[in-house]
Amino acid sequence: MLSKYQFCIMLLLPGLLWAAGERFTLNPVSPRSIRVGQESRLSLCHQGQPTVEVVYPGKASPVAKYAAEEVALRLSQAFNCDIKPVTVASGSVPAIILGDQELAAKHGLDLNALDRDGYYIKTFPNYCLIIGRDDPNGRPGKRTGYYERATLFGTYEFLERFLGVRYYFPGEIGTVVPEYQNFALPDIDLTDRPDNQYRSIYTVQLGKGKYLYPGLEPADISRESNLQLRQNTRRIPNCHGINGLQLPQRFAKEHPEYFALRANGTREDGTGGVRSDSVYGHVCFSAPGLKNEIYLDAEALLLGKSHKDRGLPRSWANHHEAPFFNLMPNDAMARCQCDGCRPYFQSKDPQQTSDFIWSWYCDIAKRLKDNNIPGYVTTMAYDVYRPIPTLDLPDNIIVMLAQSGPWREFGPNKDKDDALVAAWKNKLGAKLYLWTYPTKIGSMLPGIPNVAPRATASYFKRQAPHIFGAFYEAETDVWLFRHLNYYVFSKLMWDNDTDVDALLQEYCRLMYGPAEQEMLEFFDSLEKHWIQDVLTNFYDTPEGPKTALPSLHEVWTKIFSPAECARLTALLDQAEQKTAAVPKAAARVKFMRTELWQHVEDGFAHYQKTISDISAWKTVMPETKTEIIPDGKLDEADWQDAPWIGLIPRVVNTVKEDEPAEVHTRIKMLHDQQFFYFAFICEEPNTEAMAEVQRQFDEIELWKDNVVEIFLAANHQSRIVYQFMIGSSGCRTDLRKSPGHLGKEWNSGFEAGITKEPGKQWIAEIRIPRQSMPELQGQQMVANFSRSRVLTDDSKFNVPYYVWTQFVKQDAESCGVVHFQEPLPKSEIKNGDFAAPVTGKRFLGAWAANTAIQQDRGIYRTRNASVRLSGDARSIVQRVPQLQPGKQYKLSFYVRLDGVEITDKDNSGFFIRFDMGNGKPQYPIRPALRGTIPWLRQEANISIPDDFGAKSVPYIEFKCPNSTGTAWLDQVELVPIEAK
Ligand SMILES: [Zn+2]
């Protein structure tokens, strides 16, 4: 019999571990045995005529039915026919039979001998049986999740290996199905299972814009992708499991000592935290009572008891699932300041801190083991407990190590990272699993593709001997950017020996046919740019070369420079030409151009718009001749006349674009030869509750308190940013940030004085010596300002963070410009910021309206006010007789719309009527703006005609007539364009 088979691979690894109930092992137990004959045996299609039935037993699981539908669909596509699955084989033609357990038993295929997710594919004289263990309640057509569906995994394998089907991503474009006139199966005797138990990909959208792609419903794309990538079906929980124990609800009242002590004497008992996950509380590692309670929770879970037996209000599922109890503490773990914990957290030796936490884990794990409780304690090696502990670890602990992963393939720490994985394996004497971070969270460059299949492959291949799986945390802005990363990761997690070079070559050949080489070069170029140019971008610093993300300027001028973008576009052009006669390949090239490459082009356009928009953010820091004492009093005369800027809500996390400012902040600045001076006037009705922890000078943690911050840099391209934090407590921190370096050791010698007017405001007056920042010279610098509002009582407010410019990053590129003297030319529009008071209802400085002017002090862009066009008040006007005929001007402004819909076609929506006083008005923004639009900066060039003002007084009118909804207008400027 055996001689008929071509022997491929045979693996049998010992090393069984048994847990309560289902078998769990860190190493594969059932064999990978792939024996395929060389001769054609079962003919499924002959001269274009299909001779095959697809069968699932009527009483089979929904998984088998779903698998049968998948086989029928692909065979129909391959043989150009319409095959429908049936529940009984006719016996007259060859059959593909899915998930028939009786048949499997008859042939001695023992499903219980298979590892989880493993399957058999075996041919018999008139049929081929595909089967693995399926959960009778699993419904792959509806959802993925933690249920067995091995028959479906066998089905994908069957279609890939024997029919040549490829699942690159869900949908017609990403699924390759070869067509056949004649097709026959060889003899098959195949048993397989994954090399890695844990194969999990986290696919969540970051940022705005188009995320998925056309062709399928978004929910189906996610579901089918999860199934086709054969992600793990067993949950091995390891994500802040302590949070699932609901400790604050159970113990905060009776046992405050269970919770981490804060420096101010309060406890991390779920109240008074700054993060959304603070509500889960943080533990004290020295409280024996708490350790005992958690032990009892673990024991109960592992013995299959209900959460109710332990008094938990809600289920502990998701965080814990037998045979795994997850001991991992909350994220951003609080360092308990009690006498028992503090010395370990304050220790300068990270080993001491790690050992302290690990001894807590070990105590619980050992006690479980001593009491013969089956199962495992899982935890991550993360945060301060990432270093390998010196103490012995019991073998019922399973460790997940947090590792940067593929992003560091060309970085300086690659070998160090690898060594840590190997050392953990050595310490445990068993495999671990990894949490890796190939995500764009820390490298959010919109529109830049994070294509990285080769880095993914090389990284995980090296880790293979040490791990039983990995979590691939891969949030991104565009799903398609990473379709190859996912494909390669999933293939490698299934089979460590996968040849990824061949896999990628095959991808390009099967997807793009004649354009194989162009597309390979295209994707390899994208990967090189991401992994090497973006993520391994070196800067020279005083401490030696460091890696840091390139600025957007560098991204769009050096990495995706116009020349490089032209080269990549030319590759796509060539690919289109080469595939002109191959419709499927041509459609795929076109798809990648519109759904993947277009994001790069859009990213460039967005960058250009941002550069232009940033010019709206500017202020003046006049020179002062008087001595300014930083005492928080602002009693020097020059403060009175100094210009000021305001802050706007920072749109991030829970704060939405339409969130109005709840408090106003005004910032003034002055300079002389020696110093920069800043004054922050912060409205605060609740001055009593401002979070003020007494801290050492230069403590980074000051950001957690009620503070204002200043960011200064030489220009938008500067990689050095000076940062100053000033608490309402009077505490101060300064930093000189450079690529890869926080610059805490740098000190400017700056001073700050604070005064408070209870129930009204607090003021910070700041003096910074200029000699400490030699780069900040010339006519201007760039700056940003922020205010973090942190109150310790339970008063509810929506906006915790305010900034000057709307650009959220804390880098030089997101700064506005600070001129050391009034720049020229000035805007011809007066009161363009709408900050002046409304007088006589119809006037605001130089502006006038027919009805009451609606000033908005909650929603604005600059200087704490905008004007609102809504209801009856739908127009605002300013006369501009001073403009010069023949001259060009640039008009710019910010506008925001909410539900502006047309009621009259010819004269509705938001637009500008520029009356030239000659009977020929101009309409700079056409067509009119409608709908709902977030704050948008608009620009237009205006030419002033020679007969300007010949008939009447010229004026400019912003209006939103004959419409529903509301428009807001702010920061209107009209600046002469000097002739070149
Ligand atoms: Zn403690």
Side-chain angles (χ1 to χ4, degrees), residues 340-519:
C341 297
R342 194 181 54 245
Y344 297 98
F345 285 124
Q346 282 183 349
S347 168
K348 293 265 182 272
D349 179 9
Q351 188 66 59
Q352 250 202 330
T353 318
S354 187
D355 280 359
F356 175 60
I357 309 286
W358 279 97
S359 67
W360 190 79
Y361 296 149
C362 284
D363 287 350
I364 293 169
K366 273 189 189 135
R367 193 169 157 199
L368 290 167
K369 205 172 146 76
D370 291 346
N371 292 339
N372 292 315
I373 308 299
Y376 306 89
V377 162
T378 63
T379 190
M380 273 182 78
Y382 177 77
D383 197 338
V384 291
Y385 45 99
R386 192 161 173 262
I388 298 173
T390 54
L391 50 153
D392 286 337
L393 304 180
D395 62 6
N396 61 342
I397 290 188
I398 291 176
V399 173
M400 180 180 234
L401 171 65
Q403 278 283 68
S404 289
W407 274 191
R408 293 223 213 172
E409 278 306 271
F410 288 84
N413 294 315
K414 176 182 155 195
D415 293 344
K416 213 170 110 192
D417 286 0
D418 284 0
L420 187 64
V421 180
W424 262 109
K425 159 93 179 302
N426 193 35
K427 172 74 186 177
L428 294 164
K431 286 182 173 178
L432 57 148
Y433 61 147
L434 302 178
W435 184 306
T436 61
Y437 299 88
T439 162
K440 271 183 103 172
I441 281 185
S443 48
M444 191 50 207
L445 300 166
I448 300 299
N450 50 336
V451 174
R454 292 189 196 276
T456 298
S458 58
Y459 175 78
F460 285 105
K461 281 224 160 189
R462 289 197 313 281
Q463 316 313 323
H466 311 303
I467 64 173
F468 67 91
F471 181 66
Y472 196 86
E473 183 185 335
E475 299 94 329
T476 188
D477 48 344
V478 178
W479 197 96
L480 270 181
F481 284 168
R482 9 158 238 195
H483 71 282
L484 283 172
N485 309 8
Y486 294 168
Y487 184 71
V488 161
F489 173 78
S490 68
K491 288 291 175 202
L492 268 174
M493 283 294 110
W494 191 276
D495 181 353
N496 291 330
D497 294 325
T498 302
D499 178 346
V500 172
D501 289 342
L503 205 67
L504 293 173
Q505 190 79 47
E506 181 190 77
Y507 162 83
C508 288
R509 187 173 70 250
L510 296 180
M511 285 281 282
Y512 311 108
E516 174 184 353
Q517 284 315 317
E518 284 77 9
M519 293 307 284

Side-chain angles (χ1 to χ4, degrees), residues 284-286 336 338 341:
C284 166
F285 291 94
S286 309
C336 179
C338 82
C341 297

Side-chain angles (χ1 to χ4, degrees), residues 915-920 947-954:
D915 193 307
M916 297 290 168
N918 60 357
K920 286 173 278 185
D947 57 353
F948 183 71
K951 293 184 177 170
S952 55
V953 179

Side-chain angles (χ1 to χ4, degrees), residues 11 28 31-32 34 115-119 149-154 156-157 160-161 190-199 227-233 469 486-498:
L11 266 174
R32 166 169 294 148
I34 296 161
D115 285 357
R116 194 177 176 104
D117 302 335
Y119 46 76
R149 45 184 177 269
T151 296
L152 182 60
F153 290 172
Y156 292 135
E157 167 75 9
E160 285 187 340
R161 185 180 287 272
L190 186 155
T191 308
D192 201 9
R193 80 296 176 270
D195 283 344
N196 292 284
Q197 290 259 335
Y198 197 82
R199 311 171 303 277
L227 296 173
Q228 292 168 2
L229 296 174
R230 278 154 260 188
Q231 294 196 42
N232 57 297
T233 64
Y486 294 168
Y487 184 71
V488 161
F489 173 78
S490 68
K491 288 291 175 202
L492 268 174
M493 283 294 110
W494 191 276
D495 181 353
N496 291 330
D497 294 325
T498 302

Side-chain angles (χ1 to χ4, degrees), residues 660 854-860 864-868 968:
Q854 304 180 61
Q855 191 178 41
D856 195 321
R857 311 255 296 144
I859 290 177
Y860 53 81
N864 299 345
S866 70
V867 75
R868 197 167 59 227
W968 287 260

Side-chain angles (χ1 to χ4, degrees), residues 534 830 833:
V534 171
K830 297 176 193 72
D833 53 31

